[in-house]
Amino acid sequence: MFAYIVRRLLYAIPILIGVNLLTFTLFFVVNSPDDMAVSQLGDKYVTPEAIENWKQKNGYDKPLFLNPDAAGAARLTETIFFDKSVRLFAFDFGRSESGRDITSDVATRMWPSLAVALPTFIVGIGVNICVALMVVMFHGTRLDRGAVFLFVALMSISYLFYIIGGQFLVAKTWRLVPISGFHAEGQVWKFLILPVLVGVVAGIGAGARWYRTLFLEEANQDYVRTARAKGCSELTILFRHILPNALIPILTGVVVLIPSLFMGSLLIESFFGIPGLGSYMLDAINSQDFAIVRSMVFIGSILYILGLILTDISYTWADPRVRLS
Amino acid sequence: MLPRLAARATALLCGSLLLVACTDEPWNDPNPPSPEGMVTYQSMISPAPPKHLDPAISYASDESLILMQIYEPPMGYHFLKRPYELIPLGVEELPDITYLSAGGEEIDPDREEVAFSRYRLTVRADARYQPHPAFAVDETGAPRYLFSDPQAGRAFSEISDFAHTDSRAVHANDYVYAIKRLADPFNGSPMLGFMAQYIVGMKEFSDHLQTVERDGWLDLDQFPMQGLEVIDERTFEITIKGRYPQFSYWLAMQFFSPIAPEVDRFFKNPGFIDRNLTLDWWPVGSGPFMMVKNDPNSEIVLERNPNFREDYYPSEGEPGDAEQGLLDDAGKRLPLVDRAVFRLEKEVLSLWTKFLQGYYDRSGENHGNTNRVFDQAFVVGPDGVELSEEMADREISVSPDVKPALYYYGFNMRDPVLGGYSEDKRKLRQALQIAFDTEEYLNIFYKGNGIAAHTPIPPGIPGHVDGEAGINPYVYDWVEGKPQRKSIEYARRLLVEAGYPNGRDARTGEPLKIFIDVQSQAISNTSMNWIDRAFARIGVQVEYRPADWNRTREKLLTGNTQIYSHGWLADYPDPENFLFLLFGPESPLICKCDGANNSNYESEEYDELFRAMRVLPAGEERETIVARMVDLFRKDAVWLFAYYPKDIYLNNSWVHNNKRHGISKSTLKYVRIDEDLREQKRAEWNQPVTWPLYAAALLIVALLLPGVIAYRRRLKATARQ
């Protein structure tokens, strides 16, 4: 298994280079270094000298990909792309365009992201699996058909509606929890109730419907009929027989997300004022802060690759027949 | 098993709710408790945290909101008096200005030969910095926190981590040092290019620093700048080129705030920058407040600076201030609150809800909002727009704020169709001006919160004239004591005279189509439809070219636009700061720079008058020149339309001294909070509504029950069933 993991990690390098190249190209198609300078310096009295000075100070005074004035390898290395990309592979994210240390910001911001994402993830999976199993138990009945209708209805509602509706009803009208905010000290939980509730409810439709499909496939297997013939109760059949056998497809969709939980959610964090990495990314895009965008995309790619490796490993745990080689 | 579990969970939930419901404490309070005995002003930063808090770098009003509470530049503005009045802030008196010839002899200010102006300033004797570790020294008198390698300072990641602090008096050299920091190219100050035109020796100083080798902190005291001189510990002089009366206004901006060299050195400790310990994030000043927490992700906390000089609430203002209670605190020592918390608030719904719940003292700081959720605060009554009944019941007060600002759609005067200075081109532009009913536009899209501009100079700024004498006679008539837009028939006649009868080119028969460059996010479909209809009345078609700000800026720099939208917020309350928007050499096509004259307006007479006006002191001669310049602007019809934005801010009943200041942000020290009333109102307004919790519990049971019944029935069913 060790060799497998090492090989997968080596495969990650060209993927990361590709992702970095794509991010770089897309960003600089929309923004030039001059645009970035103006955005950072403000709209008033921005002289060409100030722009040049900013670019020089922040390392944007070189060509993007190819330096025709340099010789040999320096034609590639004396460029913005090389300067900004190589450091990423050493996990040196440098400083944002406004001068803050990105590593320090990421380290601070990932905890609020995790504080929201982890309970949403765990409670969400728990609720979705329980609801799906319940519906499977009444497969073919009116209850089942009603539940599927409800799932589709829940899936069709925009995520924004859940957020704004939740804020309006729970926080504004009923005054049960703060509408937004986050404080590490004191009662953190009261800021988490609403975003977690919204995250869970918004995910029930798609999640439970997906799990229902997986469980139904298992429910028609011979071993289920055997268990029923042995006189096992329905709950035992669902939780002891069907659930473990449906784990492989569940793990495929779930484990890959675990590392990405650190990255937070753009919408939830923005609307609920959670100072996590999701809102960090959104702010960076709004303020044309390429250093942060680049770093966050890089971290996101690494976590996703890590998630895929973890998924593979989890298969060996869920199904002893699986061997990684 | 399932019913038992559900029953237990329901009982637990109900039990917890009963317990919590026994207290009067609101459940939705988003603020952590304030320190005992400290009166805290609760506010917000919205929609994004400040990017820079170094006074040499920062140039955004959101940042000034924080900076101007911490720093004291030499000059400031009177809190209550209007028109805006300059007062000494960090210095004893207004600058003592002497005028010099090219040879350096003192001469009469009225003489043509004035080559330099010298500003002498004397620092207040009682001005002291906030307590800060940068000033802390050890037993030998050496700086306590000065490290030679990054490892030595690793233990410190917040300012509160430093156990020792100290302070000292503000010296004249600190002001000089701050100006040198503006000139240091390493700092990238936005003021460098502009100020180098005026301050003697600034450009040369900057060029020289560019060549100096740096290893950590660079002591700028080692490098003299020609236009700066420290006379003694409290007196310094700044020499600028020629006459530039507006320089006194610049002295009221954060760029000229004192910076202690030891503070600059402290933040250059190796490794500090990697933990965001920089002057850009931890400002250190002598103002009424000091920063104790800066978490740009969530909040900025200021506390009273214990070393703040003696400063008192003004005892005089403008007529009407006393009646509004704005002089009730006259003579009281400032600041009137101990602490201010600015929380990051990105979404308007959250901000508004927290204001209504009493968790924010005011509805905004920099952005009065009248066009989105705040609309629900107002209703249209018999006397126009007024507060809704709900707001009035809460005794919420309104602070209108006509900013010294402009939003406008300008013509590109070099455009082959709409530009030019011939009579027919003027008439064409005037016809378009008349067709665009600014008042209706403001009423529909801004709830009337804006004033149609007849001149580039907003109210409150010398040169702005109200009444009949102040109307634009090319677009309005004075009818029954108020301006009335000329008729559409008149606009059509102008179009005929301009060679476009019924909106068609008389030579080619082609319909006249005008192109408007707008920033995508700054215009809605409904307003585009409205503009279409407005011009359709004279037969003119409109096409929009939406783009982001970067692309719009590119078009302006290259003159590749026909009609563009823009805005301007004044730096200081002087007509020069508005009239320069039409000064020929400011055209991006002429200066090959990011000039302010985006209309590329060129008028020899206007430019001559501007040059004369710029150096004249306030007085009748200057007023006459300004009036003539405004006349030229109107006659040449340079802008399609313009308006002065009017922001509305709401204040909860426990907040006092709410007068808005269009220019200065240094007003937090005047705010007073009635904390007892705030606590009482918050408790009253925020009692939780608990029935939905019981209803939700019942709903869950109701949903589960059929399943449970069906499950039990299935378990008990026989094979036949």
Side-chain angles (χ1 to χ4, degrees):
Chain A
M1 190 198 283
F2 179 73
Y4 174 82
I5 293 172
V6 170
R7 197 166 62 244
R8 288 293 301 267
L9 288 175
L10 289 175
Y11 286 161
I13 294 172
I15 295 173
L16 289 174
I17 292 174
V19 167
N20 199 30
L21 183 67
L22 201 65
T23 316
F24 188 88
T25 310
L26 286 176
F27 190 90
F28 282 102
V29 163
V30 181
N31 298 287
S32 67
D34 283 43
D35 294 338
M36 293 166 66
V38 172
S39 154
Q40 296 300 323
L41 292 169
D43 297 336
K44 289 177 170 180
Y45 309 113
V46 182
T47 58
E49 293 80 28
I51 292 175
E52 284 309 313
N53 187 32
W54 185 90
K55 281 159 56 181
Q56 193 183 357
K57 189 181 162 195
N58 292 280
Y60 289 102
D61 55 339
K62 294 175 182 168
L64 289 178
F65 290 107
L66 193 70
N67 190 342
D69 298 330
R75 287 165 72 89
L76 289 176
T77 56
E78 290 291 312
T79 59
I80 298 177
F81 178 69
F82 188 83
D83 271 2
K84 305 287 178 190
S85 305
V86 167
R87 293 164 61 177
L88 288 180
F89 286 88
F91 291 96
D92 174 9
F93 301 122
R95 280 195 280 278
S96 69
E97 312 304 0
S98 58
R100 285 184 66 84
D101 185 67
I102 295 175
T103 312
S104 163
D105 277 352
V106 169
T108 312
R109 279 176 167 264
M110 69 183 192
W111 300 115
S113 282
L114 205 61
V116 179
L118 196 64
T120 309
F121 178 74
I122 294 171
V123 176
I125 289 177
V127 168
N128 292 348
I129 288 178
C130 289
V131 171
L133 284 171
M134 254 183 64
V135 173
V136 166
M137 194 160 72
F138 298 103
H139 176 55
T141 65
R142 265 188 238 166
L143 205 69
D144 178 37
R145 285 193 290 276
V148 173
F149 176 80
L150 189 67
F151 295 157
V152 174
L154 287 172
M155 282 168 65
S156 312
I157 296 170
S158 156
Y159 203 74
L160 271 178
F161 180 84
Y162 288 106
I163 295 175
I164 295 173
Q167 284 187 322
F168 182 78
L169 279 181
V170 182
K172 188 168 190 276
T173 310
W174 298 333
R175 303 183 285 271
L176 294 171
V177 290
I179 189 163
S180 70
F182 187 87
H183 280 283
E185 67 266 26
Q187 302 168 316
V188 182
W189 57 268
K190 74 178 180 185
F191 296 104
L192 300 180
I193 292 175
L194 191 53
V196 170
L197 185 71
V198 166
V200 170
V201 171
I204 285 179
R209 188 168 164 269
W210 165 241
Y211 293 135
R212 173 185 168 275
T213 313
L214 300 180
F215 296 145
L216 275 181
E217 266 186 41
E218 294 298 324
N220 295 324
Q221 300 290 328
D222 289 344
Y223 69 86
V224 175
R225 202 174 302 126
T226 309
R228 206 166 269 140
K230 274 166 57 185
C232 291
S233 75
E234 284 296 316
L235 282 179
T236 311
I237 292 169
L238 290 174
F239 285 94
R240 295 239 176 106
H241 296 272
I242 293 181
L243 183 58
N245 281 291
L247 265 184
I248 289 276
I250 292 178
L251 289 175
T252 307
V254 167
V255 180
V256 73
L257 295 177
I258 293 174
S260 310
L261 294 178
F262 286 99
M263 299 293 286
S265 152
L266 296 182
L267 276 180
I268 286 274
E269 287 186 11
S270 194
F271 275 86
F272 289 103
I274 310 288
L277 290 178
S279 56
Y280 190 48
M281 178 78 163
L282 207 62
D283 292 345
I285 294 168
N286 285 335
S287 61
Q288 300 178 13
D289 198 321
F290 176 60
I292 297 177
V293 172
R294 182 188 62 220
S295 306
M296 291 300 293
V297 171
F298 187 79
I299 295 171
S301 311
I302 289 180
L303 291 176
Y304 191 72
I305 290 168
L306 213 63
L308 290 174
I309 297 174
L310 278 180
T311 307
D312 288 351
I313 295 170
S314 70
Y315 289 163
T316 61
W317 166 77
D319 187 347
R321 292 170 298 176
V322 176
R323 292 280 180 273
L324 300 179
S325 59
Chain B
M1 187 178 87
L2 207 60
R4 224 172 25 239
L5 198 69
R8 278 182 193 167
T10 313
L12 190 70
L13 185 68
C14 294
S16 324
L17 285 176
L18 280 173
L19 273 178
V20 184
C22 289
T23 71
D24 278 345
E25 290 293 309
W27 298 2
N28 61 351
D29 190 346
N31 305 324
S34 292
E36 196 63 36
M38 288 186 110
V39 179
T40 302
Y41 173 65
Q42 307 277 6
S43 187
M44 76 296 288
I45 31 179
S46 179
K51 280 198 274 191
H52 297 289
L53 291 172
D54 182 336
I57 303 170
S58 164
Y59 197 10
S61 58
D62 294 2
E63 294 160 3
S64 303
L65 172 68
I66 305 296
L67 275 180
M68 294 303 280
Q69 320 311 330
I70 296 169
Y71 287 104
E72 277 211 321
M75 312 296 293
Y77 291 91
H78 195 284
F79 175 48
L80 298 174
K81 286 185 182 172
R82 302 290 183 274
Y84 303 110
E85 185 182 308
L86 267 184
I87 55 168
L89 209 64
V91 295
E92 295 277 6
E93 289 170 346
L94 293 176
D96 177 16
I97 309 171
T98 50
Y99 297 89
L100 308 172
S101 67
E105 295 91 36
E106 197 171 318
I107 56 171
D108 193 87
D110 298 331
R111 299 258 301 269
E112 280 292 313
E113 307 89 83
V114 170
F116 303 104
S117 310
R118 180 171 288 161
Y119 288 65
R120 175 178 279 232
L121 298 127
T122 305
V123 181
R124 284 183 190 274
D126 58 349
R128 284 186 75 78
Y129 286 106
Q130 63 180 78
H132 195 271
F135 300 112
V137 291
D138 59 19
E139 298 73 23
T140 63
R144 190 176 280 274
Y145 299 110
L146 204 57
F147 308 115
S148 52
D149 73 286
Q151 293 305 317
R154 276 188 71 84
F156 308 103
S157 55
E158 298 272 335
I159 288 297
S160 53
D161 294 339
F162 296 89
H164 299 272
T165 60
D166 208 339
S167 174
R168 72 158 169 82
V170 178
H171 297 156
N173 184 57
D174 300 339
Y175 284 97
V176 167
Y177 190 86
I179 298 172
K180 287 180 178 175
R181 287 187 80 246
L182 296 182
D184 185 350
F186 181 80
N187 290 325
S189 172
M191 271 300 100
L192 171 57
F194 184 78
M195 275 299 148
Q197 299 172 63
Y198 293 104
I199 299 178
V200 174
M202 196 170 196
K203 171 105 178 53
E204 294 75 11
F205 181 84
S206 178
D207 291 344
H208 177 61
L209 287 190
Q210 192 83 268
T211 63
V212 172
E213 283 286 321
R214 287 168 192 265
D215 181 23
W217 178 59
L218 183 69
D219 183 4
L220 299 179
D221 281 340
Q222 292 176 358
F223 304 91
M225 191 198 292
Q226 197 188 346
L228 301 176
E229 192 173 351
V230 177
I231 307 298
D232 58 43
E233 196 168 72
R234 287 180 48 214
T235 313
F236 66 102
E237 287 179 346
I238 308 170
T239 307
I240 63 168
K241 295 168 193 165
R243 275 178 298 198
Y244 183 44
Q246 293 78 25
F247 188 68
S248 295
Y249 292 118
W250 284 106
L251 293 175
M253 295 186 76
Q254 70 264 21
F255 302 111
F256 290 88
S257 305
I259 299 288
E262 50 267 57
V263 169
D264 196 24
R265 179 182 59 191
F266 170 83
F267 285 114
K268 294 281 168 32
N269 265 312
F272 272 27
I273 195 167
D274 297 332
R275 294 188 294 286
N276 297 321
L277 281 173
T278 64
L279 189 58
D280 207 18
W281 290 100
W282 294 101
V284 183
S286 55
F289 294 92
M290 57 185 189
M291 184 179 279
V292 293
K293 182 179 179 189
N294 181 6
D295 181 352
N297 313 325
S298 108
E299 65 183 15
I300 288 175
V301 182
L302 308 182
E303 274 182 17
R304 177 194 291 268
N305 171 9
N307 299 333
F308 183 51
R309 64 184 172 84
E310 276 190 43
D311 191 13
Y312 297 95
Y313 194 96
S315 51
E316 51 182 339
E318 65 174 338
D321 282 351
E323 291 75 12
Q324 290 179 42
L326 287 164
L327 292 176
D328 291 355
D329 292 310
K332 284 187 185 165
R333 180 87 187 260
L334 301 174
L336 298 174
V337 294
D338 303 304
R339 196 165 171 268
V341 181
F342 297 89
R343 295 209 164 77
L344 179 60
E345 202 60 70
K346 291 182 181 174
E347 295 301 325
V348 182
L349 177 66
S350 305
L351 193 160
W352 177 240
T353 304
K354 286 180 191 171
F355 168 70
L356 287 184
Q357 291 172 339
Y359 296 124
Y360 284 136
D361 294 331
R362 286 170 170 168
S363 66
E365 289 293 347
N366 278 320
H367 311 284
N369 194 321
T370 51
N371 202 30
R372 291 188 283 174
V373 291
F374 281 50
D375 280 358
Q376 57 194 281
F378 300 95
V379 290
V380 179
D383 301 323
V385 177
E386 54 191 50
L387 266 185
S388 69
E389 204 174 317
E390 186 197 354
M391 300 296 120
D393 286 348
R394 286 167 175 256
E395 296 173 40
I396 281 171
S397 65
V398 181
S399 303
D401 180 19
V402 181
K403 287 185 176 170
L406 271 173
Y407 287 114
Y408 60 94
Y409 276 35
F411 296 110
N412 176 9
M413 297 297 275
R414 289 204 186 183
D415 181 74
V417 178
L418 296 184
Y421 301 88
S422 60
E423 203 49 39
D424 55 339
K425 295 290 185 188
R426 281 195 191 103
K427 284 180 176 169
L428 169 58
R429 291 194 296 269
Q430 283 164 8
L432 295 172
Q433 285 180 325
I434 294 167
F436 192 101
D437 191 336
T438 315
E439 291 78 7
E440 187 181 298
Y441 180 77
L442 292 171
N443 277 333
I444 293 174
F445 298 106
Y446 295 90
K447 278 222 163 183
N449 287 307
I451 300 169
H454 293 248
T455 128
I457 305 169
I461 308 289
H464 177 90
V465 182
D466 281 321
E468 187 174 2
I471 66 165
N472 179 353
Y474 298 94
V475 180
Y476 294 88
D477 294 315
W478 189 258
V479 180
E480 294 173 1
K482 58 183 182 185
Q484 188 178 70
R485 186 169 288 271
K486 289 181 189 287
S487 66
I488 284 296
E489 286 68 34
Y490 179 75
R492 288 193 188 119
R493 279 207 301 278
L494 284 175
L495 265 190
V496 173
E497 290 168 28
Y500 291 94
N502 296 319
R504 286 182 178 270
D505 190 325
R507 288 164 301 168
T508 63
E510 289 290 312
L512 174 61
K513 184 184 269 189
I514 58 175
F515 298 91
I516 302 181
D517 285 295
V518 284
Q519 285 185 58
S520 321
Q521 69 274 25
I523 193 160
S524 62
N525 282 336
T526 45
S527 55
M528 284 196 275
N529 291 338
W530 182 89
I531 295 172
D532 285 344
R533 283 200 302 277
F535 288 120
R537 292 184 301 169
I538 55 170
V540 174
Q541 299 173 12
V542 187
E543 191 171 315
Y544 301 90
R545 294 166 167 170
D548 65 11
W549 166 237
N550 290 331
R551 299 291 80 76
T552 306
R553 185 175 159 271
E554 257 174 35
K555 288 180 184 179
L556 293 173
L557 290 178
T558 52
N560 182 22
T561 177
Q562 192 177 61
I563 297 174
Y564 65 93
S565 65
H566 216 281
W568 180 255
L569 176 63
D571 292 302
Y572 46 83
D574 190 273
E576 183 261 359
N577 202 226
F578 290 93
L579 294 174
F580 94 115
L581 296 173
L582 300 157
F583 183 44
E586 278 289 334
S587 158
L589 301 181
I590 293 173
C591 70
K592 305 288 177 204
C593 67
D594 200 2
N597 176 8
N598 290 304
S599 282
N600 304 303
Y601 178 57
E602 288 169 86
S603 158
E604 272 182 35
E605 187 185 354
Y606 185 96
D607 293 349
E608 275 306 306
L609 290 169
F610 181 80
R611 287 189 185 97
M613 180 273 293
R614 184 160 58 177
V615 295
L616 277 176
E620 203 175 317
E621 189 184 357
R622 198 169 196 247
E623 279 171 26
T624 310
I625 292 177
V626 167
R628 175 62 189 151
M629 292 170 77
V630 168
D631 236 19
L632 287 170
F633 157 80
R634 288 169 177 165
K635 184 181 154 213
D636 286 332
V638 190
W639 292 345
L640 172 63
F641 81 99
Y643 69 93
Y644 316 121
K646 190 165 83 178
D647 279 354
I648 302 285
Y649 296 88
L650 305 179
N651 318 294
N652 271 312
S653 56
W654 53 81
V655 196
H656 300 274
N657 306 329
N658 291 309
K659 190 167 183 174
R660 309 292 306 190
H661 197 289
I663 300 277
S664 174
K665 298 278 179 235
S666 181
T667 52
L668 177 60
K669 62 185 177 184
Y670 303 107
V671 173
R672 179 165 58 84
I673 303 286
D674 182 342
E675 210 164 34
D676 293 338
L677 181 63
R678 179 165 67 184
E679 286 311 308
Q680 180 201 325
K681 292 289 182 191
R682 277 183 182 175
E684 187 183 313
W685 294 343
N686 292 294
Q687 286 310 302
V689 180
T690 49
W691 68 259
L693 291 176
Y694 302 114
L698 280 176
L699 184 71
I700 291 170
V701 172
L703 283 174
L704 285 175
L705 207 59
V708 173
I709 293 168
Y711 177 71
R712 292 173 75 91
R713 195 179 292 157
R714 178 182 283 198
L715 283 184
K716 288 177 184 168
T718 61
R720 280 178 190 279
Q721 284 174 318

